[in-house]
Amino acid sequence: MIRFDDADAVRKYTSFTLPESLDPTYDKQDLPFAKQDSLPRPLYFNTEVVFCRARKLGADVDAGALPVEGRVIREQVKFGIGFHETWSYAIDVLGVLPGDTIEVHWKYSIPFMENWMKFNAQRLFFNGALHKRSSNLMIEADGMQGFRHWGIPPDSVADEGRTVKKYWTLKDLLAVADEVGARWHAELPFLTIGTLQDAQFYAHVTRSGMAVDIPYWAKAMRLREGNAHWWRQVALKNVPDAQTERMKGFMDLYPGTDPIDRLRRMHSAIATTFDYQLDDAWYDNKDRDNQRMGDQLLDKRLREISRYDLYSKLISMLRLKYYTAYMMDARVGALGLDWLSPVWNNEWTFLVNDNGTPVHLHPKRTRFGLLPDEMPFYWEGTRALVGDVDKLWADGELGDKKPIEPELIPIPKLLPAVNQRSIDMNVDVDLSTGELKVRANILLTGQWSTLTRSAYLFGVVDSSAHPGYGHRLYDLAGATDVQVELGEVQQMPPFRMPIKVSFTLPGRVLSKDSTWTVDLSGLFHHVVDSTFTAEGRDLSYWFDFEGGDEVRARVHFDRAVQLVSDTAVSTMQPFAAHYVYTTQPDPKTIDRSSVFGVYAPKVEVRDARDLEILIRAVANQSALLRVKAPPADLASPVPGP
């Protein structure tokens, strides 16, 4: 039942989608940052809505049925070797007025065999967009399916022979769907549900033919890594084919006796110099041409369908043993024995052992690629699920006919001190024309390099991250004469990248009564989530990463001026701080600095108001310099004797 207190509630909550999302943060993980506030939709195959009915409740009796409208939302998903169409249903309940209380009933079916990859580690969160006084859940399962669950224990269990029913009741659940920067998995109760091994999760021991069960996550890995042994055989055969010979030609460009070093250099070349080719036509069965991986390497392009196979073959040609590390976005969840995730669509790295030190190589998925051991903030410091090709395909032979056990490893994390952006500007101001000439040296290190250098290199930014990381200093209205000099990217952590830029900004000075206002807006830019509000906040807020961002400008005037007032503004909290300084070292120069530092990634709810004050101070800082003509005795030097 839902009670609508006002017109805003009617507007927000009379529309929903079916199937409803049981795990909103997981279902939204592939959406770009700008669309994270949209309704999450689980993308199931062949969903059918059996019925959906709504009625308005009176004081004591049913006040009548309400009309319900619906439409089908179709979306193509890449799975296996093709596109598959998913169905969702957008539902609108009509005729609801402020003050009404309504009851909505629905039923839908989702075929398990077509959606097995999603139901073997399905998280179920009880919180949502509305405050719930009570939430009741009953799961009825066929005992033969071996229904299992982790997390919240059931309040009661009814064993009715072959059918098992389990019941949960949770009360006073907070409305948290619109809380930006929250991590549901870290603070909210959730249930993980799945089934024991299904018939499709059995393999046969090679020699005996005995059926042995394998875990669902290993089955999901097999979907991606199914050709690994084949590529190993092709890589090592005595009579190589033409494509393998072309791959050797590429490898010869990176000579050396250390195969790990060669692999690092080859991966860096692919990450930084190769184009990336989407394979929509291949998934749509319109172009099923062979991968031709040798041609890809010589043409400097990586195809979407070759992200696994090309690296698998390349590493095998170096006669190296590799593993795969399946990762999870820290904003979405944390991999553990109570939730290994559905796995089938997790991003992964290739993992090789360099004398006891793991080396991670991520096959890029856009034009911009990550360097060896480089991880964006949402992967670094997390746990990854390890895939071992030999064990995946050994069936029961390596474990006394027992299922292989999951292995989790930590993903390395850079020290917070290296996550820095430093911008040093010289700004020449012509008070007569109102023109600014800007010259800047920019240094990106750590996460600032990982998230921002792609904007300077290719004009793109990680779509899942805050778009502010893609802000380039010269991305300002009216900027002319833009010159950019990109420095060399350091190939090892912390991935330092120096950049020099220069540009001209016209019309940035306003003159009035011997006073000038210089507009420096856009030059002092920090990344904060300006939509954050403390009101009604129930969950902690998480910054992307710890680190610093310092912007300094030395402003040179064409004549002597006097700063109207020196300023030193600071907003300091234990978790972050912002400082703004404006000083005048000499009659023709004014220095302006803005420094924003994050000291702790997590901000507790009790500090939400302080966080909002800090974010407002950073987002709304004044970028105006007010100067005036100085007194005559300050404008010119005193004559000597």
Side-chain angles (χ1 to χ4, degrees):
M1 291 190 296
I2 308 172
R3 176 176 172 79
F4 297 88
D5 292 331
D6 51 38
D8 186 55
V10 173
R11 179 181 58 82
K12 288 182 178 179
Y13 303 119
T14 53
S15 298
F16 52 93
T17 61
L18 293 179
E20 75 277 26
S21 176
L22 304 176
D23 189 349
T25 56
Y26 184 87
D27 291 336
K28 291 196 297 184
Q29 64 176 318
D30 292 328
L31 292 179
F33 185 91
K35 295 184 178 180
Q36 283 293 311
D37 60 350
S38 60
L39 286 174
R41 292 185 294 110
L43 301 178
Y44 297 129
F45 303 131
N46 287 338
T47 304
E48 179 184 358
V49 173
V50 180
F51 66 79
C52 181
R53 295 189 290 263
R55 63 175 182 167
K56 184 185 299 184
L57 302 181
D60 299 307
V61 296
D62 186 347
L66 291 171
V68 176
E69 291 185 351
R71 66 185 187 280
V72 178
I73 304 172
R74 293 179 170 87
E75 186 170 338
Q76 296 286 331
V77 174
K78 292 174 181 175
F79 178 71
I81 62 171
F83 274 122
H84 299 266
E85 188 173 72
T86 66
W87 297 353
S88 301
Y89 300 84
I91 305 296
D92 297 303
V93 180
L94 307 180
V96 180
L97 300 174
D100 286 350
T101 299
I102 71 170
E103 189 175 62
V104 185
H105 288 264
W106 62 73
K107 180 180 180 181
Y108 55 81
S109 64
I110 304 170
F112 173 78
M113 290 303 295
E114 296 170 48
N115 294 277
W116 65 267
M117 75 296 295
K118 300 185 179 184
F119 281 118
N120 283 283
Q122 171 70 63
R123 287 188 311 190
L124 193 157
F125 284 90
F126 293 84
N127 297 74
L130 295 171
H131 176 264
K132 301 176 184 178
R133 289 185 292 180
S134 179
S135 179
N136 301 303
L137 171 69
M138 186 272 284
I139 296 179
E140 179 180 340
D142 188 325
M144 297 296 291
Q145 290 180 315
F147 168 73
R148 55 183 177 169
H149 59 84
W150 302 264
I152 308 170
D155 297 306
S156 61
V157 177
D159 190 344
E160 301 176 358
R162 180 165 174 170
T163 300
V164 177
K165 295 180 180 179
K166 298 188 178 184
Y167 299 84
W168 288 262
T169 298
L170 280 79
K171 296 184 180 297
D172 196 24
L173 297 167
L174 304 171
V176 296
D178 59 351
E179 296 195 7
V180 298
R183 296 188 178 179
W184 286 31
H185 67 92
E187 297 186 69
L188 295 177
F190 67 88
L191 183 68
T192 303
I193 60 176
T195 62
L196 290 174
Q197 307 313 109
D198 194 86
Q200 63 179 323
F201 301 137
Y202 279 84
H204 290 83
V205 177
T206 305
R207 297 183 181 88
S208 67
M210 181 181 295
V212 178
D213 59 331
I214 61 174
Y216 84 88
W217 53 267
K219 169 72 173 182
M221 287 182 182
R222 284 187 174 199
L223 289 175
R224 178 174 287 154
E225 306 190 32
N227 292 328
H229 280 293
W230 164 253
W231 292 124
R232 182 186 298 173
Q233 294 171 5
V234 171
L236 301 178
K237 66 182 182 180
N238 293 325
V239 185
D241 57 89
Q243 291 300 317
T244 301
E245 287 295 291
R246 292 186 176 99
M247 291 187 72
K248 288 182 178 179
F250 169 78
M251 296 169 65
D252 289 341
L253 300 175
Y254 305 89
T257 58
D258 183 351
I260 299 288
D261 177 68
R262 294 182 68 194
L263 179 61
R264 280 180 173 274
R265 287 185 283 133
M266 285 186 277
H267 171 77
S268 293
I270 294 172
T272 58
T273 66
F274 278 38
D275 289 327
Y276 183 73
Q277 178 184 330
L278 290 171
D279 277 310
D280 288 358
W282 189 90
Y283 281 101
D284 204 21
N285 206 27
K286 295 178 180 178
D287 178 11
R288 283 295 173 93
D289 190 18
N290 292 331
Q291 297 187 56
R292 306 181 71 86
M293 292 186 290
D295 290 345
Q296 290 183 53
L297 291 173
L298 296 182
D299 294 342
K300 291 190 173 183
R301 61 186 171 90
L302 175 64
R303 293 183 61 179
E304 181 181 9
I305 62 171
S306 302
R307 290 181 65 210
Y308 181 89
D309 290 352
L310 186 145
Y311 274 81
S312 176
K313 184 176 179 181
L314 193 65
I315 296 172
S316 293
M317 291 176 70
L318 289 168
R319 288 174 165 75
L320 291 171
K321 164 75 174 178
Y322 73 82
Y323 303 85
T324 44
Y326 288 76
M327 300 174 294
M328 175 52 59
D329 190 323
R331 297 165 296 184
V332 174
L335 297 186
L337 297 182
D338 60 342
W339 187 66
L340 289 171
S341 80
V343 176
W344 69 276
N345 63 341
N346 290 34
E347 276 298 307
W348 78 99
T349 66
F350 285 89
L351 186 62
V352 293
N353 187 346
D354 185 8
N355 294 320
T357 300
V359 178
H360 288 270
L361 307 173
H362 177 255
K364 69 182 185 180
R365 48 183 174 172
T366 65
R367 173 60 183 87
F368 174 73
L370 299 171
L371 294 169
D373 290 325
E374 184 176 21
M375 297 285 178
F377 67 90
Y378 47 81
W379 289 339
E380 71 166 10
T382 64
R383 293 190 300 270
L385 177 63
V386 177
D388 182 338
V389 170
D390 294 319
K391 289 184 179 180
L392 287 177
W393 292 96
D395 297 333
E397 297 174 16
L398 294 183
D400 295 327
K401 302 181 179 57
K402 296 179 181 179
I404 56 178
E405 296 297 328
E407 179 184 356
L408 297 168
I409 61 167
I411 298 294
K413 181 177 182 178
L414 296 176
L415 293 174
V418 306
N419 297 325
Q420 301 287 332
R421 179 177 69 167
S422 175
I423 301 177
D424 287 289
M425 292 180 283
N426 281 281
V427 182
D428 297 328
V429 181
D430 189 324
L431 293 176
S432 300
T433 64
E435 184 177 80
L436 310 184
K437 290 187 178 296
V438 182
R439 291 163 287 123
N441 292 317
I442 304 167
L443 180 62
L444 306 173
T445 65
Q447 287 297 326
W448 277 106
S449 176
T450 300
L451 297 170
T452 299
R453 74 174 185 268
S454 62
Y456 284 94
L457 289 169
F458 309 117
V460 298
V461 68
D462 186 334
S463 64
S464 75
H466 193 295
Y469 293 114
H471 175 80
R472 297 174 297 188
L473 194 60
Y474 49 81
D475 284 336
L476 303 173
T480 61
D481 304 323
V482 176
Q483 300 290 326
V484 182
E485 181 182 336
L486 301 176
E488 185 176 351
V489 181
Q490 181 187 31
Q491 299 297 298
M492 302 289 285
F495 313 107
R496 291 184 180 89
M497 180 179 183
I499 305 167
K500 294 182 178 180
V501 300
S502 63
F503 52 95
T504 300
L505 295 173
R508 286 297 190 110
V509 179
L510 177 65
S511 176
K512 182 180 181 182
D513 299 331
S514 298
T515 300
W516 296 273
T517 301
V518 182
D519 183 3
L520 300 176
S521 60
L523 299 178
F524 294 87
H525 173 273
H526 301 293
V527 178
V528 291
D529 198 333
S530 58
T531 63
F532 177 86
T533 179
E535 183 179 358
R537 186 82 186 188
D538 292 305
L539 298 179
S540 301
Y541 177 87
W542 292 77
F543 286 106
D544 291 338
F545 55 88
E546 301 160 89
D549 185 19
E550 185 168 357
V551 185
R552 297 177 293 269
R554 171 149 283 194
V555 184
H556 306 277
F557 292 85
D558 59 351
R559 68 194 76 170
V561 297
Q562 183 177 351
L563 184 62
V564 171
S565 63
D566 291 356
T567 59
V569 179
S570 63
T571 307
M572 297 180 291
Q573 300 296 341
F575 47 82
H578 179 231
Y579 307 92
V580 179
Y581 302 104
T582 308
T583 58
Q584 184 167 9
D586 63 60
K588 290 187 176 182
T589 305
I590 292 177
D591 290 336
R592 172 74 180 271
S593 297
S594 178
V595 182
F596 177 51
V598 176
Y599 311 133
K602 181 181 179 181
V603 182
E604 302 289 348
V605 176
R606 62 177 178 270
D607 298 320
R609 180 57 184 162
D610 292 335
L611 174 60
E612 182 177 356
I613 292 172
L614 175 69
I615 288 177
R616 296 291 175 263
V618 175
N620 301 326
Q621 66 170 305
S622 174
L624 302 178
L625 284 182
R626 291 184 174 86
V627 299
K628 62 183 180 180
D633 58 343
L634 296 178
S636 58
V638 178

